[in-house]
Amino acid sequence: MGEKILKISSMVLIIMIVATIIILRPFSAVHEREAKRQQMSNLQMFAYYPEQIEDEGDINLRQQLRLELPEGIEEKDISIENNYVQQLITIQIPNVEKDYFDKHPLLGRSNHIDDLHMKNGVIEINMDSVYEVRSKVSEGFLYIDFLTPQQVYDKVVVIDAGHGGGAPGAMKQEIMEKDINLAIVLQLKKLLDKNDKNIGVYYTRTEDVNPTFEQRAQLGGKTKANLYLSVHNNSTEDGQMSQYNGTEVLYDEKKEEAGLSSKHLAEICLEEITKTIGSKNNGLTHGNSIYIIRNNEVPAALIEVGFLTNQEELDKLNSLDYQKLVAQGIYKAILRALEEGY
C-alpha cells in the first residue's frame, strides 16, 4: 500500500513540475526578451521591433518611419531639423515622458540610418548620406520618408564659404576673409532662392562656424551634387599690401575627367566672374594640394575672388555692392555650367 501511494505521489509531483514548466515558459521567454531589449542600443531596438509587428499589414515599414504621438500633439508642435553637413536629423516632440519611447518605439526599416538616439522627446538620426525629410501626421502617428536630393531636385549644387569660426583666413585692416566669403555666399543664396529652376542648393555654412575640411569636402559626394564651388579670397604670401590683384580659380589637375571636368567648371567660373565684376583674369591654378578639392567626389572649383592685400580690391570686397556683384558672377557661372550639362 505504501509503495502504491509513493508511486502516485511521484506521478503527481512530475505532473506538477511539467505543468509549472509549461505555465512559466511564456513568462520566461518574455523576461528573456525584455532583458535582451534593455541591453540593446536605440539603433538595435529600431531593427528589433519591426520583427514583432509583422502581422500589422497596414504599416508600410519598408518605406517609412512611424511613431505614435502623445495625445493632443499636432504636426505644428513637432520640430524637425536637418543638418546636411553632419547628416543629422533631429526630431523634437513636446510633452514626452521620460520612458515614452520605451512604450511607444520608433518603427520602420531603413538601410540608410547609421545611428539613432532617442531620449526626453528628442530623436537624433544619423544618416549615411544627405536626405530630404518628408513628414506627415495622421491619426495620431508621425510618418517620415527619406528622399535623396535627386528625388526632389533636377540639379544639385554645393556652395562652400571658406574658413569661418576660429579660422579667419586672410586678415587685413581688421577685415577677415571668412566674413567676406560668407557675405558673398549669403548674397548668392538670395539669388538662388529666387531662381525658378528646380535646383537644390546645399551650403557648408550660412553663419560664422567652421565645419571641418572633411565635412566640407564630403558634402559634394553625400548629395551627389552636379558641381561644387568654394568661395575664398586671396593674399600675398607674406601678407603685405601690394599691387597684386585679380581673380583666379583652382581645380584638381589630377582629375582630368573626360567631358564635364573640374577644369572646365573652373574656366566657366573664371570667365563669368571676371566679366561681371571687371577684375583682372589671373587664370586657372592647380589645386590638388587643397584638401576640399583633392577629396571631392564631384566636379569642384575654388574661387579666389580678389586680394585682401590690395587696397583697392580690399575696399571693394568689403562693400555690399561689390559683394552683390561677385554673387551675380558666381550665379551666372552656376547657371551656365548646369546649362552645359553639369
Side-chain angles (χ1 to χ4, degrees):
M1 183 68 179
E3 186 176 335
K4 185 176 181 181
I5 291 173
L6 183 60
K7 287 183 178 180
I8 293 173
S9 298
S10 299
M11 290 180 64
V12 170
L13 181 60
I14 291 171
I15 292 171
M16 290 177 64
I17 292 172
V18 171
T20 300
I21 292 173
I22 293 173
I23 293 171
L24 292 180
R25 182 178 294 170
F27 294 101
S28 176
V30 169
H31 178 74
E32 288 178 8
R33 285 199 300 269
E34 181 61 21
K36 179 181 178 182
R37 190 192 67 78
Q38 290 180 359
Q39 294 175 2
M40 291 180 178
S41 68
N42 288 152
L43 185 58
Q44 289 172 326
M45 285 193 289
F46 176 73
Y48 171 76
Y49 276 119
E51 299 173 3
Q52 318 307 311
I53 57 165
E54 291 290 349
D55 294 335
E56 297 189 43
D58 62 321
I59 304 175
N60 190 355
L61 291 175
R62 297 187 183 281
Q63 304 196 8
Q64 293 181 315
L65 303 187
R66 192 195 80 167
L67 177 71
E68 185 175 356
L69 296 171
E71 188 174 351
I73 296 297
E74 300 178 10
E75 192 158 4
K76 63 181 178 61
D77 303 318
I78 300 168
S79 169
I80 300 179
E81 179 183 345
N82 196 345
N83 186 320
Y84 301 112
V85 174
Q86 297 180 9
Q87 289 91 62
L88 174 64
I89 297 167
T90 303
I91 305 168
Q92 296 189 48
I93 303 169
N95 303 326
V96 170
E97 299 174 358
K98 186 176 181 180
D99 61 346
Y100 183 83
F101 293 133
D102 292 332
K103 300 175 182 177
H104 307 275
L106 181 68
L107 302 176
R109 300 183 192 276
S110 176
N111 296 326
H112 306 299
I113 295 178
D114 279 344
D115 204 358
L116 176 67
H117 298 279
M118 304 172 65
K119 186 176 181 181
N120 298 331
V122 178
I123 302 172
E124 293 184 339
I125 306 173
N126 291 97
M127 306 299 291
D128 65 359
S129 198
V130 171
Y131 294 90
E132 292 291 342
V133 177
R134 292 292 181 267
S135 65
K136 70 173 183 178
V137 172
S138 177
E139 298 181 354
F141 289 91
L142 170 65
Y143 293 90
I144 294 175
D145 281 308
F146 300 124
L147 304 177
T148 67
Q150 286 68 32
Q151 289 176 300
V152 179
Y153 304 110
D154 295 329
K155 298 285 187 177
V156 175
V157 173
V158 173
I159 305 295
D160 171 49
H163 304 287
M171 294 178 60
K172 292 307 293 184
Q173 300 172 13
E174 299 184 353
I175 298 171
M176 292 182 280
E177 181 194 347
K178 68 171 185 175
D179 296 330
I180 303 297
N181 299 341
L182 182 58
I184 292 170
V185 166
L186 292 178
Q187 291 302 320
L188 176 60
K189 184 177 185 301
K190 290 180 181 179
L191 296 174
L192 290 166
D193 287 346
K194 293 178 182 177
N195 184 276
D196 59 0
K197 300 180 184 297
N198 190 28
I199 303 172
V201 187
Y202 295 86
Y203 300 87
T204 59
R205 70 182 185 103
T206 55
E207 55 188 0
D208 189 20
V209 295
N210 184 28
T212 66
F213 288 146
E214 181 180 6
Q215 288 173 332
R216 293 175 192 263
Q218 53 86 42
L219 193 56
K222 294 290 187 181
T223 58
K224 295 181 173 61
N226 298 85
L227 59 91
Y228 182 113
L229 299 181
S230 183
V231 178
H232 285 253
N233 277 280
N234 223 331
S235 71
T236 56
E237 288 188 12
D238 60 8
Q240 299 301 309
M241 300 300 285
S242 76
Q243 296 302 309
Y244 288 115
N245 67 91
T247 303
E248 66 180 283
V249 181
L250 289 75
Y251 71 100
D252 192 341
E253 73 281 6
K254 295 186 178 180
K255 293 179 183 175
E256 278 303 283
E257 310 95 330
L260 302 176
S261 67
S262 294
K263 182 177 182 180
H264 184 53
L265 175 63
E267 290 172 340
I268 292 173
C269 292
L270 188 61
E271 290 174 12
E272 294 298 332
I273 293 169
T274 54
K275 182 170 60 177
T276 302
I277 68 177
S279 62
K280 178 186 172 187
N281 185 330
N282 286 337
L284 303 183
T285 301
H286 291 174
N288 179 262
S289 61
I290 307 298
Y291 184 95
I292 63 170
I293 294 179
R294 183 177 66 253
N295 292 283
N296 223 302
E297 297 178 16
V298 303
L302 188 151
I303 303 161
E304 295 279 10
V305 178
F307 278 79
L308 297 185
T309 47
N310 178 281
Q311 190 63 56
E312 183 180 353
E313 281 196 329
L314 177 63
D315 293 340
K316 287 181 178 179
L317 289 165
N318 199 38
S319 71
L320 179 60
D321 287 343
Y322 197 72
Q323 292 164 3
K324 289 181 178 180
L325 206 59
V326 175
Q328 283 278 0
I330 300 174
Y331 178 68
K332 291 176 183 177
I334 292 171
L335 294 187
R336 176 181 160 189
L338 295 180
E339 287 171 0
E340 291 190 13
Y342 279 88

